[in-house]
Amino acid sequence: MARAEATSRGNLEIGMNIDDMRFLVKQYSELGQWTSALFWADAAAAAASGNGPDSASGDDVWLLASAMLARGELHRAAHAVTSRGLHRRHLLCLCVAMRSYLLAKEPTVALNLMDECDPMLLDPRTTDQRHNRALAGVLVWQARALSSLERREAAAEALSSALRADCACYEALDLLLEQHALTPRQERELIESLPINSQLGAAEGALLRAAYRERLNRYAPAPAVPPPPDVDDPITTEAEEVYSRTAEAAACRGRRLTAACRWKEALAALDSADPWCCVEVRTACLVELKRSADLFAFAHTLVDAYPNAWTSWFAVGCYYYVIGKSEFARRYLSKAKSLEPGAGCVWLAYAHSFAQEKEHDQAMAAYFKASQVMAGCHLPPMYVAVECSLLNNTAMCEKFLARAAELHNDNEGAGEQPAEESEAENVDGWAVLVGAVGEAHLAHEAGVAAFAGGDADAAKALFLKALDAANAQHGGVFAVINGDSELGMKLSPRWAATLDALGHACRVSGQPLEGLQWHERALALRPGRPQTYAAIGLCLALLSREAEAAHFLHTALAKDPDDVVSLALLDAIMDKVDAALTDEEIPQFAFPAVDIPIPTPPTPRTPTAGGGDLTNISDMSMSFD
């Protein structure tokens, strides 16, 4: 009897195949049947722990905790790892435990798990790429925990370490670029230092380089014509062709088109990928195009599908910003901030809602917060400079514009004045800024600030650089040859304000004729703008062409009767014309001959007998009462 029991027990042990259980766990995980995956993962862990629960294999406990995490049992998944002490010696278990605590909004506990881990386990290994990929995953979750605790520099360092450990970890690069934690030069140096050749094959490495290169150029204008393929390197050519067919390539092209203000083309590029990718970029395009109905439908769909995503409430806040309801916009943008405090675009939109109502102090505070969140982006300092310009703070405006130019161009000395100019007056700083600014919008805002600061020549140079950069974004040609400006037909109507500003700068510089030409081009680009008509009238008046000036000023007043500038200028022109006329110059108009017929006097009536008066006095009564 005892022998029969021993035989049956031996058959049971021989028939228990743990590898089959692990295969069932992976198969049910791929099917999304997490309850079945949890059952077989628990069975595999129990079968492997023959000497007690603490002797279970790290891989089996990782499968068990992953199934619990997928079911939403966060603390149970973390307990399955920490109760066995596997977070100290198994990277995959450490990763799933950190994920659990992060999803449970406990980032400090997640970071404490890394402090308890064996330091040797957190070092990359040159011969074990599986270990390096697990290490990169741990570092990515560490960066997320640090970001939630506002430790952004440490988070950027963790993401950089993740990329060095596993150069194929695209999530680390995406987080690094979305947070704008590094300057453009630091980003390029990081990508160039990655050991791609030693970790990936030739074809996969070429594909990864193409993806990283396109991702880094998110602010560079997309070329109108794609560059020709490199026929000398067939592997790179094939890799780039494969990458061009991916959804990520379409999303990157959408980002670059958005940075170039080509909103419709950007939306078409995003639509070619899928209607859900790059929510923040698609929202920005709809905002710029003022398509409030489409933005409302898109935001409504996002809220229904992803109610816990910050991008959904960001889209809702942007919709209310477009329709002019800033209070509601800030309400929903605040909810997006609470879900993702590190989303820089949310802080920018939040600041825009204050700037829309001319609340400069609140807007500047929000822009400063965006500058802290997006330390490597040039947009927050540029918007701070705009608010300083509106407050007539020229010195601070110039300082932040120089900082924005330094970040965009990644020129370490772009915002610093040369030694020989350090003692120059503040107005000389605009001439230094002309050589530092290269982005279209930044050059336009710098030109406006320089014009307000009294340096019309520097403003003119900055406006010309803005038009040059804007035309390059649209594939046009812009050049200044021998003082004569030649402008292609590739500018969008949004740059008509820059053309008008350039005309004002030329007029103030004593060149009203050139200013008139720029205003006429602005009118051709965006017809019907009353301010442009008024500017043309002013230039004509300075050219002593009062009659034509009066015509354009009348047109400006017809389109905007409340334009006090046009009204005052028209009165001044008419007063000047009247004062210049003498008595001899006043035209004399002869009155035409008028034939007025003289009526024939009536025949006197024959008086009645007795000489009485025949006048009717019945209505001539007079009362003396």
Side-chain angles (χ1 to χ4, degrees):
M1 185 68 180
R3 183 178 180 181
E5 291 178 356
T7 303
S8 61
R9 189 182 302 111
N11 293 335
L12 180 62
E13 293 175 356
I14 295 174
M16 189 69 66
N17 193 330
I18 301 178
D19 291 335
D20 288 344
M21 295 182 185
R22 295 167 181 166
F23 177 76
L24 287 175
V25 174
K26 295 179 180 179
Q27 191 171 24
Y28 283 121
S29 299
E30 294 171 355
L31 295 174
Q33 299 181 13
W34 299 110
T35 303
S36 300
L38 176 60
F39 172 79
W40 287 109
D42 192 12
S49 58
N51 298 326
D54 294 337
S55 63
S57 170
D59 291 341
D60 292 326
V61 175
W62 169 65
L63 291 176
L64 175 64
S66 297
M68 294 177 179
L69 180 62
R71 283 166 49 90
E73 299 173 342
L74 307 179
H75 290 88
R76 187 183 179 191
H79 177 74
V81 172
T82 56
S83 61
R84 296 174 171 87
L86 289 173
H87 63 286
R88 299 185 180 94
R89 61 180 186 273
H90 197 278
L91 277 179
L92 293 178
C93 291
L94 174 62
C95 185
V96 72
M98 292 182 66
R99 288 175 58 193
S100 301
Y101 282 120
L102 277 175
L103 293 176
K105 306 298 182 183
E106 299 178 18
T108 304
V109 181
L111 293 175
N112 291 336
L113 294 180
M114 287 196 67
D115 295 336
E116 299 175 6
C117 181
D118 184 5
M120 298 296 294
L121 196 65
L122 300 179
D123 293 334
R125 301 173 184 175
T126 55
T127 58
D128 190 356
Q129 195 57 32
R130 184 174 182 270
H131 170 85
N132 292 340
R133 290 197 175 93
L135 175 60
V138 171
L139 293 173
V140 166
W141 289 106
Q142 180 193 18
R144 290 183 180 274
L146 291 170
S147 296
S148 63
L149 295 175
E150 303 289 334
R151 297 169 59 183
R152 307 191 187 282
E153 294 183 0
E157 182 60 31
L159 292 173
S160 300
S161 301
L163 274 173
R164 294 189 187 97
D166 180 19
C167 61
C169 185
Y170 193 83
E171 182 177 0
L173 178 70
D174 184 72
L175 288 174
L176 199 61
L177 298 184
E178 288 296 329
Q179 295 176 1
H180 295 85
L182 303 178
T183 64
R185 175 179 298 179
Q186 293 172 342
E187 293 171 354
R188 291 193 301 269
E189 292 176 352
L190 175 62
I191 298 303
E192 292 173 357
S193 65
L194 296 181
I196 297 178
N197 295 332
S198 61
Q199 294 185 4
L200 296 174
E204 292 78 10
L207 175 64
L208 191 64
R209 288 190 186 91
Y212 284 0
R213 181 177 62 251
E214 188 70 15
R215 194 71 173 84
L216 289 180
N217 292 331
R218 59 195 184 279
Y219 289 123
V225 179
D230 187 4
V231 295
D232 298 334
D233 191 352
I235 296 178
T236 302
T237 302
E238 182 182 3
E240 291 181 352
E241 182 181 355
V242 171
Y243 172 73
S244 64
R245 296 195 297 266
T246 61
E248 181 61 24
C252 289
R253 180 169 176 80
R255 290 189 183 94
R256 296 183 66 176
L257 291 171
T258 301
C261 304
R262 297 159 65 178
W263 317 112
K264 293 182 180 179
E265 299 178 47
L267 284 176
L270 295 178
D271 289 336
S272 65
D274 59 75
W276 302 93
C277 72
C278 298
V279 173
E280 65 277 12
V281 179
R282 186 184 297 272
T283 301
C285 293
L286 294 175
V287 169
E288 292 293 338
L289 293 173
K290 300 294 189 291
R291 290 164 56 173
S292 57
D294 295 339
L295 183 56
F296 173 81
F298 181 56
H300 194 279
T301 305
L302 287 174
V303 170
D304 289 342
Y306 307 105
N308 296 323
W310 68 268
T311 51
S312 302
W313 302 106
F314 170 70
V316 175
C318 288
Y319 163 73
Y320 283 105
Y321 170 76
V322 169
I323 63 176
K325 295 185 177 180
S326 300
E327 182 179 356
F328 289 96
R330 287 192 288 270
R331 179 184 305 176
Y332 290 105
L333 290 173
S334 298
K335 185 169 185 177
K337 288 189 304 178
S338 64
L339 293 173
E340 181 53 59
C345 59
V346 179
W347 283 103
L348 288 178
Y350 190 74
H352 291 343
S353 65
F354 285 113
Q356 189 179 44
E357 297 180 341
K358 301 187 184 307
E359 298 181 7
H360 303 295
D361 294 337
Q362 292 87 339
M364 288 184 66
Y367 285 135
F368 276 122
K369 181 62 178 179
S371 182
Q372 295 175 1
V373 173
M374 310 165 66
C377 183
H378 70 283
L379 293 178
M382 185 187 72
Y383 288 124
V384 173
V386 171
E387 296 300 320
C388 291
S389 178
L390 293 174
L391 294 174
N392 296 323
N393 192 339
T394 307
M396 292 298 294
C397 177
E398 182 184 349
K399 177 181 177 181
F400 282 103
L401 285 173
R403 174 59 179 166
E406 178 184 351
L407 288 174
H408 182 267
N409 300 331
D410 204 17
N411 185 356
E412 298 298 335
E416 300 177 359
Q417 297 183 2
E420 61 271 11
E421 297 184 3
S422 59
E423 298 180 357
E425 296 181 358
N426 184 52
V427 69
D428 295 337
W430 299 115
V432 178
L433 197 60
V434 170
V437 175
E439 199 268 335
H441 296 88
L442 186 57
H444 172 84
E445 298 298 342
V448 173
F451 185 83
D455 195 340
D457 294 333
K460 179 181 177 181
L462 288 165
F463 289 136
L464 288 174
K465 293 194 69 173
L467 292 176
D468 189 7
N471 232 356
Q473 291 174 355
H474 292 268
V477 177
F478 179 84
V480 179
I481 303 175
N482 297 327
D484 296 330
S485 301
E486 296 182 359
L487 182 64
M489 299 304 293
K490 295 295 184 179
L491 282 177
S492 65
R494 67 181 291 112
W495 296 103
T498 306
L499 293 172
D500 272 332
L502 183 56
H504 289 303
C506 294
R507 173 181 53 80
V508 173
S509 299
Q511 301 170 335
L513 182 59
E514 185 179 354
L516 176 62
Q517 296 173 356
W518 287 114
H519 289 308
E520 289 175 346
R521 289 171 178 173
L523 188 63
L525 197 61
R526 188 167 60 183
R529 189 167 180 261
Q531 291 83 357
T532 305
Y533 282 104
I536 292 176
L538 178 56
C539 290
L540 290 172
L542 293 176
L543 294 171
S544 300
R545 296 159 61 177
E546 287 82 4
E548 298 178 56
H551 169 72
F552 279 96
L553 292 173
H554 278 298
T555 306
L557 288 172
K559 296 182 176 297
D560 185 10
D562 298 330
D563 189 359
V564 294
V565 176
S566 299
L567 185 60
L569 185 58
L570 182 61
D571 291 340
I573 289 176
M574 298 310 297
D575 292 341
K576 180 179 178 181
V577 171
D578 292 342
L581 293 176
T582 61
D583 294 340
E584 291 79 7
E585 293 176 341
I586 298 177
Q588 301 294 330
F589 301 97
F591 288 100
V594 180
D595 186 12
I596 302 177
I598 300 176
T600 305
T603 304
R605 299 181 62 180
T606 304
T608 57
D613 190 0
L614 300 179
T615 303
N616 186 6
I617 61 173
S618 60
D619 293 333
M620 296 184 182
S621 62
M622 183 177 295
S623 174
F624 294 95
D625 298 337

